[in-house]
Amino acid sequence: MPNKPWLVFGLDGRNESDVRNAVQLGYRRFDVAESYGASTDALAREIGNSGTPRTDFEVLYKFDVRPDETPEQLRGRLTAMAAQFGGKLEAVVIHNLDGDNGQIREAWNVMRDMKRDGQIGKLGVGNVLPEHASLLRELKTKEPIEVVQLSPLNSPRGFPSVDHSRDPSRARPRAPTARWARPRRTGPCR
């Protein structure tokens, strides 16, 4: 889907009407999570009822690693979610890396196996902080990290700055005072 603009509709706090309108307006990429509840179920229904081929949609699914969950239980949970969306999720992201590193490694292995089985397209991590660097290095030796979600509102530091000076092909001129600032949240983002 390289010709489509990268517009993502987040389902957090959305109701069924919001989801239906997003599909009808032409959104094709959706950010969903198990914690979003009914809006995730509504998206699965709306995609199925839209008349648009499932392959035209992308679903990025975020989940949290549960401390008492076995790898088999996690695979069952992710397989059930993929089944709602025609058997495949385009990307799956471990939402928070602040849990037990051993369980995060096990979750990554489950995701890697599901990718090899064709149930997951890309693997990713969310809410990444500098203290996760060694874990990320380890995970990427098992399977490349293809999606990284940065959530400045969940981080005390806001957006990290990006230094392109080491890669001249990606460098862009910047105004001397241009910097990412932590956005002020004045109300719900809709």
Side-chain angles (χ1 to χ4, degrees):
M1 292 190 230
N3 296 330
K4 293 182 185 174
W6 187 252
L7 297 174
V8 178
F9 189 84
L11 269 60
D12 190 13
R14 305 296 183 153
N15 62 37
E16 193 164 342
S17 177
D18 294 336
V19 173
R20 184 178 310 108
N21 289 334
V23 171
Q24 290 172 354
L25 287 170
Y27 280 90
R28 295 296 179 255
R29 291 184 175 93
F30 294 88
D31 174 356
V32 304
E34 65 188 344
S35 62
Y36 299 173
S39 62
T40 300
D41 298 336
L43 177 62
R45 278 192 306 276
E46 289 303 319
I47 288 174
N49 295 335
S50 70
T52 302
R54 169 62 179 91
T55 55
D56 285 1
F57 292 91
E58 291 183 17
V59 177
L60 178 137
Y61 180 70
K62 299 178 295 195
F63 73 96
D64 289 314
V65 175
R66 295 178 184 167
D68 58 344
E69 190 170 49
T70 67
E72 294 77 22
Q73 290 169 325
L74 173 60
R75 184 176 181 110
R77 182 164 51 120
L78 295 177
T79 298
M81 184 55 59
Q84 279 192 273
F85 291 97
K88 183 175 182 179
L89 298 166
E90 282 67 34
V92 175
V93 172
I94 298 174
H95 200 200
N96 295 296
L97 296 177
D98 292 332
D100 176 70
N101 283 355
Q103 290 191 297
I104 291 170
R105 286 181 199 101
E106 287 179 352
W108 192 258
N109 291 337
V110 168
M111 293 164 58
R112 178 199 60 209
D113 293 345
M114 292 180 71
K115 179 179 179 176
R116 290 176 182 169
D117 293 344
Q119 292 179 288
I120 294 175
K122 295 179 181 179
L123 308 185
V125 292
N127 297 322
V128 176
L129 297 173
E131 51 265 31
H132 300 129
S134 62
L135 176 62
L136 295 175
R137 277 191 295 277
E138 181 183 341
L139 294 179
K140 75 177 189 172
T141 65
K142 298 176 182 200
E143 188 71 29
I145 298 171
E146 300 162 296
V147 178
V148 177
Q149 178 198 25
L150 300 175
S151 299
L153 297 177
N154 294 338
S155 169
R157 297 177 201 87
F159 273 118
S161 63
V162 177
D163 178 10
H164 293 289
S165 63
R166 295 181 187 186
D167 182 358
S169 68
R170 297 185 60 203
R172 291 179 294 215
R174 295 190 220 180
T177 58
R179 301 190 97 175
W180 281 101
R182 186 174 193 172
R184 288 186 329 167
R185 192 166 191 171
T186 57
C189 297
R190 301 230 184 226

